[in-house]
Amino acid sequence: MTAQIRSALPLRLSSGTALYRAARIGALALAAGSMTVLGGCAGGSGRPDDTAYVARDVESLYFAAKDWLDRGQVKLAAALFDEVERQHPYSPWARRAQLMSAFSYYVAKDYGQAVSAAQRFLSIHPGNKDAPYASYLIALSYYEQISDVERDQATTRLAKTALTDVVRRYPETDYAADAQLKLDLVNDHLAGKEMTVGRFYEKTGKWLAATLRFRKVVDEYQTTSHTAEALYRLTETYLAMGIPEEAKKSAAVLGANYPGSEWYEKAYDLMERKAPGSMS
């Protein structure tokens, strides 16, 4: 994903990106580590009879799940990892299987199940060394579901909360660094939603409602790409409401922070037309 996105587009993490590959490698490292413990134990056969509900020893079941994951059969892999926990809940493999299940559901784009599995892992093993990765998977699962700015942004807010949690709880990890980058995009997306609604209110003559939306962008999302336009729109709406002094303040802030922008040029011209001499 590029560093910037247009607010009208959904935020997506392509399965072909380096970040995706890093996430996959991070989760599969659990499986690699477990192979070291088991030594020469055989992997799953990949046969059609490797179903989720056949009772078997924990090693065979775990490696059957891993085999399906390696083959790209992620939903079957997730079901088999779930079976490890169900059939052998007190085994050391159950902990590994919980996180591998969450990862498998994430790859399958079954984000609700991915969140549930990762949350279950965290509730049982809050201090585990893989807790940062589980939290990161939760954040990614919400992040992948962010819709365009025309739709409800409840999931976007969940993504923001989850990403913030990763940054706050695990600040020294690579997961926190990536979560911070995604937070910037999420905030830009939320600001874009406020701008969309504000423009609609302005277009329909609901000046106060529009002003509140633009003000929220300036106050809460001032580091996003929408701030300059929000200040210009505030200049417009304050003038429309007959409050030239507030319009002048917005235009002045715009000029101080974005002096060479098209939005400041438009605000300056607007003030000269509607309140001559006010920008002198």
Side-chain angles (χ1 to χ4, degrees), residues 91-247:
S91 162
W93 297 100
R95 181 180 67 250
R96 297 186 182 97
Q98 284 174 349
L99 197 52
M100 292 298 284
S101 170
F103 173 71
S104 298
Y105 282 123
Y106 169 75
V107 176
K109 299 185 179 180
D110 189 342
Y111 300 122
Q113 288 280 41
V115 169
S116 295
Q119 287 177 336
R120 186 168 67 253
F121 176 88
L122 288 170
S123 68
I124 300 173
H125 313 288
N128 187 269
K129 64 182 178 60
D130 293 311
Y133 184 72
S135 295
Y136 179 67
L137 267 181
I138 291 171
L140 280 185
S141 295
Y142 287 131
Y143 181 84
E144 290 284 4
Q145 299 177 78
I146 293 176
S147 59
D148 63 61
V149 295
E150 301 296 330
R151 301 187 180 185
D152 180 74
Q153 296 302 303
T155 303
T156 310
R157 287 186 284 273
L158 287 173
K160 181 176 181 178
T161 298
L163 289 165
T164 301
D165 188 59
V166 173
V167 173
R168 180 181 61 82
R169 296 179 65 185
Y170 313 108
E172 303 304 318
T173 65
D174 290 340
Y175 304 124
D178 187 69
Q180 185 59 62
L181 291 175
K182 284 182 170 53
L183 267 175
D184 292 340
L185 294 173
V186 167
N187 283 329
D188 200 81
H189 197 76
L190 290 170
K193 176 64 175 182
E194 296 298 329
M195 292 300 297
T196 297
V197 176
R199 290 188 207 102
F200 171 77
Y201 284 143
E202 184 179 14
K203 190 183 223 180
T204 55
K206 298 176 181 176
W207 311 117
L208 179 57
T211 298
L212 292 175
R213 296 289 181 161
F214 300 140
R215 187 83 252 166
K216 185 173 183 179
V217 173
V218 173
D219 292 340
E220 297 183 20
Y221 305 110
Q222 58 188 255
T223 60
T224 69
S225 63
H226 299 280
T227 308
E229 183 187 353
L231 286 164
Y232 169 72
R233 300 294 178 188
L234 281 172
T235 304
E236 283 187 321
T237 53
Y238 282 134
L239 286 172
M241 289 190 294
I243 317 176
E245 284 303 312
E246 291 300 320

Side-chain angles (χ1 to χ4, degrees), residues 41-46 59-60 63-64 67:
C41 289
S45 66
E59 292 91 346
S60 297
F63 282 110
D67 185 60

